[in-house]
């Protein structure tokens, strides 16, 4: 067996136990306290007015999650959340990364710093360059002209298949579109994207079944549905503004069922800050029924639910006969499954399943919501398909108050895909691009995020450009990707702030500082606006006015990408797109259906909705019908002392960015190396709350170990534990990804715990 792999073996700081304090848990999400906490982060940096205009027409779209905006007439005074305010504060901080910091911080020291420490250095203010061959182990200042010339020289000598262009969901539509254009002008579809790591399982499952890889639900559907079923979500941290929509649904008389291995505060109780009760600190109950499912048990649970629906004859026969295929085969398969086996897979007794279906029986409309708690399992595509079977069997697609509603993560991760950031776009898109720009567009599929990481690891990459993001922390197999990133001949990162990826430059490494979404962006034609797509397929504009960073040597993402294209290929279409982003939107309108008259429609208050055929009960599948599917249960069987591990975000965290080291909803303060575990699982292993353990996973390639985690006794599904990512990403080899979508497996990892003989309470 190979030598155990530790988390960031070159990063001793990350291996050091950070001694978190465990105490009081906040039991109701949001409220006036949440708003005040948000203002404490953001107001000192840019004042109150920008916060009050965030997510509103004429304001700035939040760079956090992709939560849709309510209809214009329903906008509240406060259309931001605590984490949105933290995101704005993070990019508008007055702190600056100085030349002195870079001069005194060699690469090895950067590698010893946590992402939180790197982020706290502040905004980048000028291009920086690292050259391994120079013998100087620090980043040095460089001019934009020198940087562009250096990138152009590298691209001209690089084979297209050895170049990779990574896009984060923080990118706006305009920068994502030109990023895809740059990659394909280079001659490759190697366009990995953060969507590969989050909701690709959703896209695959929905495209298979209803012909559109996006959710069909809208904000109005959530407000007016009779029943919301929330699966694998922690909206109090990841999508706090969704709680207002949930609360409105409850006020309208709706019911909610929450399905999750841990009871998340945001689904249990919510203080609506814009209501009298919220102002008086009185919480509202959200979930009417909490279902504590086993990790990876959602698939078995929905098979139980679907069987009970069939037994009670709650099927929408008219919808099934008119719009669906594979109905009889799917029903026969579900009827053939064993009740006891399904109970073992889900961890849910049939009595509770019947209680869930009681709610279903009373509901005329149902909306099904989910997030990464569903999408990042090895069997995620099958799970989502079984969940979609539920919606189809009950006819809850394509009618008001019903539908699928996957909550996307980063603010424009869905828009990136729409703009063509994918390693395997369809022929119609590639052909349209070729006709619009007049160069030969490659047809061969490229590499997604996991395949790109494998290429880095295996020495098959010479050039890596990232548009935002923190790739080495977001992807699995941390150490292999760190080493692989450093093998490139050149790495180029477009960022507002430092992160851990900057600590692993290639032979030559460039950090290019870009404007954030809230930074005023003057170009030749005047101040520019940008646009994003929310989870419900609504496109809206962002109009930045903040001029506090005009003294820094920054460029916009569009300017940097198009300047690289101009200097490398000499085409005449790059400069006009820098001068006026409306030109980019005209190109988008000419190449992507649904964006006709893009510039004019973007001026509408609230933006505009993209078409979604399944909302109209038009299913663009092979036979023109929605396809029910047969999905194996595939229960993960554990042996000996094994557990199933899930990795999640902390409350002061957004993706890999840590705004702080607290998670007040789970009672954790001042640290992140914790593992939440049921008391029964502690007793079974002779452990107790506060014990320190190593978390170990074992694969054919060898043993993997994440060191020094504090056990926290918690109300958790048995045989399961939960910790934070990216600290636990090292436990997952790149070969472990979801069937069908290649999303890295961050949930339902089989692990065991090795006690260190120490208890944190004794330290």
């Amino acid at each position: 067996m190979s030598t155990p792999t530790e988390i960031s073996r070159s990063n001793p700081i990350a291996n050091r136990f950070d001694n978190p304090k465990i105490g009081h848990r906040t039991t109701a999400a949001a409220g006036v306290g949440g708003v005040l906490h948000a203002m404490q982060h953001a107001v000192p940096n840019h004042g109150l007015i920008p916060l009050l205009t965030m997510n509103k027409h004429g304001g700035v779209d939040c760079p956090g999650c992709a939560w849709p905006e309510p209809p214009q007439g329903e906008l509240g005074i406060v259309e931001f959340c605590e984490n949105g305010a933290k995101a704005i504060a993070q990019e508008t901080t007055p702190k600056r990364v100085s030349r002195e910091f870079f001069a005194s911080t060699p690469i090895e020291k950067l590698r010893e710093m946590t992402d939180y420490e790197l982020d706290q250095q502040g905004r980048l203010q000028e291009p920086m360059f690292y050259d391994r061959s120079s013998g100087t182990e620090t980043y040095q200042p460089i001019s934009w002209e020198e940087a562009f010339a250096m990138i152009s020289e590298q691209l001209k000598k690089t084979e297209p298949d050895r170049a990779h262009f990574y896009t984060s969901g923080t990118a706006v539509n305009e920068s994502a579109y030109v990023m895809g254009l740059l990659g394909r002008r280079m001659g490759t579809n190697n366009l990995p994207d953060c969507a590969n790591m989050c909701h690709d399982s959703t896209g695959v499952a929905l495209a298979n079944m209803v012909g559109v890889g996006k959710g069909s639900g809208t904000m109005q559907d959530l407000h007016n549905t009779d029943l919301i079923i929330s699966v694998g979500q922690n909206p109090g941290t990841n999508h706090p503004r969704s709680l207002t929509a949930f609360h409105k649904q409850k006020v309208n008389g709706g019911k909610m069922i929450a399905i999750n291995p841990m009871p998340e505060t945001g689904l249990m109780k919510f203080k609506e800050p814009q209501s009298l009760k919220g102002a008086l600190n009185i919480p509202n109950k959200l979930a009417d029924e909490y279902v504590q499912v086993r990790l990876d048990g959602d698939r078995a649970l929905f098979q139980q639910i679907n069987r009970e629906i069939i037994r009670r004859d709650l099927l929408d026969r008219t919808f099934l006969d008119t719009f669906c295929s594979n109905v009889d085969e799917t029903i026969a398969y579900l009827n053939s499954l064993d009740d006891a086996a399904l109970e073992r897979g889900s961890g849910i007794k049939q009595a509770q399943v019947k209680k869930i279906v009681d709610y279903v029986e009373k509901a005329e409309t149902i909306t099904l919501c989910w997030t990464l708690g569903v999408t990042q399992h090895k069997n995620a595509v099958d799970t989502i398909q079984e969940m979609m079977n539920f919606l189809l069997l009950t006819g809850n697609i394509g009618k008001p108050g019903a539908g699928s509603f996957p909550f996307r993560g980063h603010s424009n991760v869905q828009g990136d895909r729409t703009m063509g950031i994918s390693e395997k776009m369809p022929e119609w898109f590639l052909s349209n691009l070729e006709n619009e720009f007049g160069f030969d567009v490659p047809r061969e599929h490229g590499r997604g995020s996991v395949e790109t990481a494998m290429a880095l690891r295996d020495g098959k990459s010479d050039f890596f450009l990232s548009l935002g993001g923190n790739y080495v922390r977001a992807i699995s197999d941390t150490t292999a990707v760190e080493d692989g990133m450093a093998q490139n001949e050149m790495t180029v990162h477009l960022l507002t702030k430092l992160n851990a990826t900057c600590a692993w430059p290639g032979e030559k490494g460039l950090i290019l500082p870009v404007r954030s979404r809230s930074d005023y962006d003057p170009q030749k034609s005047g101040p520019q606006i940008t646009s994003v797509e929310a989870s419900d397929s609504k496109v809206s504009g962002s109009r930045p006015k903040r001029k506090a960073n005009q003294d820094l040597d920054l460029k916009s993402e569009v300017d940097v990408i198009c300047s690289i294209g101009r200097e490398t290929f000499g085409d005449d279409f790059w400069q006009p797109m820098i001068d006026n982003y409306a030109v980019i939107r005209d190109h988008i309108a000419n190449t992507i259906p649904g964006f006709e008259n893009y510039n004019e429609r973007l001026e509408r208050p609230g933006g505009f909705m993209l078409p979604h055929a399944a909302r109209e009960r038009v299913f663009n599948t092979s036979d023109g019908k929605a396809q029910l599917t047969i999905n194996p249960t595939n229960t993960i069987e554990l042996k000996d002392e094994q557990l199933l591990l899930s990795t999640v975000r902390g409350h002061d965290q957004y993706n890999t960015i840590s705004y702080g080291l607290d998670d007040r909803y789970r009672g954790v303060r001042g640290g992140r190396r914790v593992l939440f575990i049921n008391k029964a699982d502690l007793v079974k292993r002779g452990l107790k709350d506060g014990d320190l353990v190593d978390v170990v996973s074992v694969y054919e390639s060898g043993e993997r170990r994440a060191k020094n985690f504090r056990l926290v006794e918690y109300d958790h599904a048995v045989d399961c534990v939960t910790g934070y990512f990216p600290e636990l990403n090292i436990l997952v080899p790149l070969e472990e990804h979801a069937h069908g979508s290649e999303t890295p497996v961050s949930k339902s990892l089989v692990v065991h715990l090795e006690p260190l003989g120490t208890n944190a309470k004794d330290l």
Side-chain angles (χ1 to χ4, degrees):
M1 185 172 288
S2 61
T3 302
T5 303
E6 297 176 358
I7 189 163
S8 296
R9 49 174 163 64
S10 58
N11 189 343
I13 300 297
N15 271 325
R16 189 179 62 199
F17 180 56
D18 52 14
N19 197 25
K21 301 295 184 281
I22 310 300
H24 172 72
R25 298 170 188 167
T26 301
T27 58
V32 173
V35 174
L36 294 176
H37 189 62
M39 291 183 177
Q40 289 172 7
H41 279 267
V43 171
N45 290 342
H46 58 36
L48 180 60
I49 298 302
L51 273 183
L52 295 180
T53 61
M54 193 160 69
N55 298 315
K56 297 179 181 178
H57 183 68
V60 176
D61 187 87
C62 178
C65 76
W67 185 248
E69 316 313 331
Q72 281 300 112
E74 300 178 20
L75 287 168
I77 296 173
V78 178
E79 280 301 334
F80 62 89
C81 70
E82 180 182 335
N83 275 355
K86 291 175 186 174
I88 288 289
Q90 187 256 4
E91 68 178 30
T92 59
T93 176
K95 295 180 182 178
R96 301 287 182 260
V97 189
S98 66
R99 288 188 177 186
E100 290 72 25
F101 170 83
F102 281 111
S104 62
T105 312
I107 293 299
E108 286 303 319
K109 189 172 180 180
L110 284 178
R111 292 174 180 174
E112 293 175 357
M113 299 177 71
T114 65
D115 279 286
Y116 176 70
E117 292 170 311
L118 290 168
D119 181 81
Q120 290 300 300
Q121 302 306 312
R123 283 290 294 268
L124 295 159
Q125 51 183 337
E126 60 183 334
M128 302 300 295
F129 171 58
Y130 167 79
D131 185 355
R132 192 177 301 158
S133 66
S134 70
T136 302
E137 286 298 303
T138 59
Y139 281 98
Q140 305 289 325
I142 189 175
S143 71
W144 283 103
E145 292 73 21
E146 290 173 306
F148 290 145
M150 194 176 298
I151 297 168
S152 175
E153 180 183 358
Q154 179 66 44
L155 285 176
K156 288 175 181 177
K157 70 177 185 179
T158 299
E159 291 294 323
D161 192 52
R162 297 182 67 86
H164 297 86
F165 300 82
Y166 173 75
T167 304
S168 163
T170 58
V172 294
N173 281 347
E174 291 75 11
S175 59
Y177 186 81
V178 296
M179 182 71 157
L181 188 66
L182 177 64
R184 294 184 174 102
R185 184 65 181 89
M186 177 68 186
T188 183
N189 283 304
N190 289 342
L191 292 163
D193 179 57
C194 68
N196 296 130
M197 294 181 260
C198 56
H199 264 289
D200 263 11
S201 298
T202 292
V204 170
L206 295 183
N208 288 345
M209 296 184 69
V210 298
V212 183
K214 304 178 183 181
S216 64
T218 66
M219 284 285 283
Q220 291 91 333
D221 293 327
L222 278 181
H223 292 167
N224 299 318
T225 189
D226 293 333
L227 177 63
I228 292 173
I229 301 180
S230 165
V231 191
Q233 293 189 296
N234 177 16
T237 289
N238 299 331
H239 306 84
R241 287 197 298 144
S242 67
L243 300 179
T244 299
F246 291 163
H247 175 251
K248 184 164 187 174
Q249 183 254 7
K250 298 287 290 185
V251 170
N252 289 340
K255 301 293 183 180
M256 172 183 279
I257 296 171
I259 300 171
N260 211 57
M262 294 199 302
E264 298 291 3
T265 299
L267 287 171
M268 301 298 110
K269 294 180 181 179
F270 168 59
K271 297 174 184 177
E272 168 55 78
Q274 301 182 81
S275 72
L276 178 60
K277 284 180 67 176
L280 295 174
N281 211 34
I282 301 172
N284 297 281
K285 180 182 178 182
L286 288 182
D288 297 279
E289 187 79 13
Y290 167 54
V291 184
Q292 192 165 47
V293 70
R294 182 182 192 258
L295 277 169
D296 198 46
D298 303 302
R299 187 172 53 266
L301 174 60
F302 272 89
Q303 289 175 330
Q304 290 173 286
I305 293 170
N306 289 339
R307 280 169 60 91
E308 184 66 19
I309 286 169
I310 294 167
R311 288 168 175 167
R312 297 192 195 185
D313 196 21
L314 301 180
L315 306 176
D316 187 333
R317 293 286 184 180
T318 301
F319 175 81
L320 291 169
D321 291 345
T322 306
F323 296 105
C324 297
S325 295
N326 304 326
V327 178
D328 293 339
E329 300 94 320
T330 301
I331 291 174
Y333 173 74
L334 289 168
N335 280 330
S336 73
L337 298 176
D338 178 68
D339 283 339
L342 292 179
E343 283 190 8
R344 188 172 70 254
S346 68
I348 305 302
K349 298 295 184 182
Q350 189 63 24
Q352 190 170 15
V353 172
K354 290 181 177 180
K355 196 171 182 180
I356 295 169
V357 179
D358 287 344
Y359 285 95
V360 173
E361 187 167 4
K362 295 173 184 176
E364 293 186 10
T365 56
I366 302 171
T367 299
L368 187 58
C369 307
W370 69 90
T371 53
L372 306 191
V374 172
T375 66
Q376 293 182 320
H377 302 262
K378 182 170 284 190
N379 300 303
V381 173
D382 287 339
T383 298
I384 297 166
Q385 289 181 165
E386 195 60 49
M387 290 161 57
M388 290 298 294
N389 278 347
F390 165 76
L391 289 180
L392 295 175
L393 288 169
T394 56
N396 277 292
I397 286 284
K399 66 180 183 181
S404 58
F405 211 126
F407 290 7
R408 302 282 181 167
H410 256 143
S411 57
N412 201 39
V413 62
Q414 185 161 304
D416 286 357
R417 279 287 193 252
T418 304
M419 292 298 103
I421 297 297
S422 172
E423 69 277 15
K424 45 188 175 184
M425 286 297 288
E427 171 59 29
W428 66 260
F429 175 84
L430 302 175
S431 178
N432 287 352
L433 210 63
E434 194 166 82
N435 293 335
E436 180 75 4
F437 293 97
F439 64 85
D440 293 334
V441 174
R443 269 28 180 211
E444 183 178 354
H445 287 175
R447 298 187 181 104
S449 290
V450 169
E451 288 182 306
T452 293
M454 290 177 176
L456 294 173
R457 178 195 64 189
D458 299 338
K460 297 179 179 179
S461 177
D462 294 329
F463 178 86
F464 186 96
L465 186 151
S466 65
L467 173 55
N470 187 6
Y471 184 78
V472 303
R473 286 291 177 267
I475 196 73
S476 53
D477 214 340
T478 309
T479 301
V481 178
E482 288 173 342
D483 288 346
M485 186 67 71
Q487 290 185 70
N488 280 286
E489 293 181 6
M490 177 176 283
T491 54
V492 183
H493 305 302
L494 280 61
L495 296 168
T496 58
K497 303 180 81 176
L498 285 171
N499 61 41
T501 300
C502 301
W504 298 91
E507 291 287 337
K508 292 181 170 57
L510 286 160
I511 303 173
L512 303 182
V514 293
R515 295 184 180 123
S516 70
R517 194 173 301 176
S518 59
D519 288 330
Y520 180 69
D521 185 7
Q523 299 294 347
K524 187 175 182 179
S525 63
Q528 301 300 303
I529 64 172
T530 56
S531 55
V532 296
E533 179 185 342
S535 290
D536 65 347
S537 302
K538 181 182 285 186
V539 178
S540 58
S542 203
R543 295 162 173 81
K545 299 180 177 66
R546 190 172 187 274
K547 299 183 179 181
N549 292 323
Q550 294 301 298
D551 60 315
L552 305 183
D553 193 10
L554 312 180
K555 289 184 179 291
S556 72
E557 294 174 345
V558 166
D559 190 342
V560 175
I561 296 165
C562 290
S563 293
I564 292 171
R566 181 195 63 219
E567 295 303 308
T568 305
F569 305 109
D571 309 302
D572 59 8
F573 52 75
W574 298 105
Q575 189 61 46
M577 294 192 291
I578 298 174
D579 295 339
N580 188 348
Y581 300 173
V583 174
I584 303 174
R585 290 188 286 273
D586 284 338
H587 287 307
I588 294 170
N590 292 340
T591 52
I592 304 176
F595 286 89
E596 297 79 11
N597 302 313
Y598 193 172
N599 285 300
E600 293 82 359
R601 294 161 73 198
L602 197 60
E603 294 298 326
R604 299 175 185 172
F608 63 93
M609 190 72 77
L610 292 174
H612 191 295
R615 285 181 184 152
E616 310 301 323
R617 294 190 167 178
V618 175
F619 301 108
N620 295 316
T621 60
S622 57
D623 65 357
K625 293 190 174 186
Q627 308 280 325
L628 276 80
T629 56
I630 293 173
N631 306 294
T633 305
N634 283 346
T635 298
I636 300 175
E637 303 290 354
L638 300 176
K639 57 185 179 181
D640 301 325
E641 299 297 301
Q642 290 179 335
L643 292 158
L644 293 177
L645 169 69
S646 174
T647 66
V648 298
R649 298 171 183 161
H651 186 63
D652 276 350
Q653 177 184 0
Y654 201 79
N655 288 347
T656 63
I657 301 171
S658 290
Y659 305 129
L661 297 175
D662 295 346
D663 188 342
R664 69 174 189 270
Y665 292 153
R666 298 186 181 111
V668 180
R669 287 167 176 80
R672 296 176 50 80
R673 302 181 75 77
V674 297
L675 210 60
F676 303 99
I677 184 169
N678 188 286
K679 182 176 181 178
D681 286 315
L682 288 173
V683 172
K684 179 180 177 181
R685 290 160 180 80
L687 298 168
K688 57 183 181 297
D689 179 77
D691 281 353
L692 304 187
V693 299
D694 285 352
V695 189
V696 182
S697 62
V698 181
Y699 298 92
E700 289 184 6
S701 57
E703 175 188 285
R704 291 163 176 268
R705 184 178 297 264
K707 290 188 171 184
N708 297 324
F709 280 75
R710 183 202 196 279
L711 295 177
V712 178
E713 184 181 315
Y714 208 84
D715 181 8
H716 199 298
V718 294
D719 296 330
C720 305
V721 292
T722 292
Y724 299 128
F725 85 90
E727 285 80 359
L728 291 161
N729 286 5
I730 190 62
L731 296 173
V732 190
L734 292 171
E735 287 73 17
E736 289 293 306
H737 48 75
H739 301 308
S741 71
E742 296 188 354
T743 297
V745 175
S746 299
K747 311 287 191 288
S748 300
L749 306 170
V750 177
V751 301
H752 67 270
L753 310 180
E754 293 191 4
L756 301 181
T758 305
N759 191 284
K761 298 172 185 177
D762 298 328
L763 295 178

